[in-house]
Amino acid sequence: VKHCASKDAPGVQENAAAALANLADDPTCRERVSSCGGLEVLVNLLNNSQTDSVVACAAAALGNLADDDQNRVSIAKVGGLEPLVRLCA
């Protein structure tokens, strides 16, 4: 999760967000990513990254994490809905 926050390394951010997206396919990992602050970090990437591939990987990770009911609520609470809707526009 901490590698997603590397401000000056879009390649690292992309790879880390992609890894989180893959991990989030597993229900146990979804809870762990959320409990480690992953939702906030991914939403931050959506809001602040200027790199399309980073944004795409962060959105994919949040999509997989949203397979969990509690994570859907938590994504909304940390401000994740607005940037996701912006991507659809």
Side-chain angles (χ1 to χ4, degrees):
V1 171
K2 70 180 181 178
H3 293 296
C4 285
S6 302
K7 293 182 181 185
D8 297 325
V12 173
Q13 290 175 331
E14 179 183 353
N15 289 332
L20 290 175
N22 288 331
L23 287 169
D25 277 336
D26 180 88
T28 302
C29 290
R30 286 183 205 126
E31 188 279 323
R32 287 193 175 179
V33 170
S34 177
S35 69
C36 290
L39 299 177
E40 293 87 349
V41 170
L42 291 165
V43 170
N44 186 51
L45 288 177
L46 287 181
N47 284 322
N48 298 306
S49 179
Q50 301 299 314
T51 306
D52 290 343
S53 58
V54 172
V55 172
C57 289
L62 286 169
N64 289 346
L65 290 163
D67 283 344
D68 177 82
D69 292 338
Q70 182 56 47
N71 280 345
R72 281 194 293 274
V73 172
S74 296
I75 290 167
K77 285 183 180 179
V78 298
L81 294 181
E82 184 179 330
L84 289 168
V85 170
R86 266 196 325 262
L87 288 175
C88 296

